[in-house]
Amino acid sequence: KAAPLPYHQHGPTALELGKAFTDAGLNGPTFKEHSDYFPHKMYTLGFAGGNSPSFYINTDDNTKIHQGESAFGQVTEGLNTIDRLLNYPTQNGLWFKERIGIKSVRVL
């Protein structure tokens, strides 16, 4: 499941934010490096497609469907919160029906 939706209800979309990076002469907010040492296991993070700054949290081992793509982090605390998201209703089994926000994050 994932929800790379606009960051602000009435603000720019993730794709528009990603375009701002390329308009500024940057490659974009995502990176293309891949390593077999960082597979898309449960609770890892990966960037959504389309060169947007949106990301997703793997809620299963998705290594086979994300071959060649980078996993760039791992959730180490709050796993029960991620598990609760599995019960949220979705539109098509992938996109949440309602916007899900993150209140805080700590990057180590």
Side-chain angles (χ1 to χ4, degrees):
K1 295 181 182 180
L5 299 173
Y7 289 94
H8 306 286
Q9 189 171 11
H10 302 292
T13 66
L15 290 176
E16 291 168 338
L17 290 171
K19 186 175 180 313
F21 276 82
T22 55
D23 288 349
L26 302 170
N27 290 334
T30 62
F31 53 92
K32 307 283 189 253
E33 291 85 6
H34 167 72
S35 171
D36 289 332
Y37 293 110
F38 301 105
H40 286 263
K41 300 282 186 187
M42 189 167 186
Y43 303 123
T44 58
L45 293 90
F47 279 112
N51 203 28
S52 87
S54 297
F55 66 92
Y56 55 88
I57 300 170
N58 287 295
T59 55
D60 202 350
D61 184 343
N62 293 312
T63 302
K64 288 185 179 181
I65 62 172
H66 291 290
Q67 289 181 341
E69 297 176 9
S70 303
F72 70 90
Q74 182 173 355
V75 177
T76 58
E77 293 180 7
L79 302 178
N80 59 332
T81 302
I82 304 300
D83 291 341
R84 283 196 321 261
L85 292 175
L86 294 173
N87 296 317
Y88 268 60
T90 62
Q91 295 177 22
N92 57 4
L94 181 64
W95 304 106
F96 290 118
K97 285 187 177 184
E98 295 182 10
R99 179 174 158 74
I100 305 293
I102 297 174
K103 290 185 179 180
S104 68
V105 65
R106 182 174 58 157
V107 178
L108 302 175

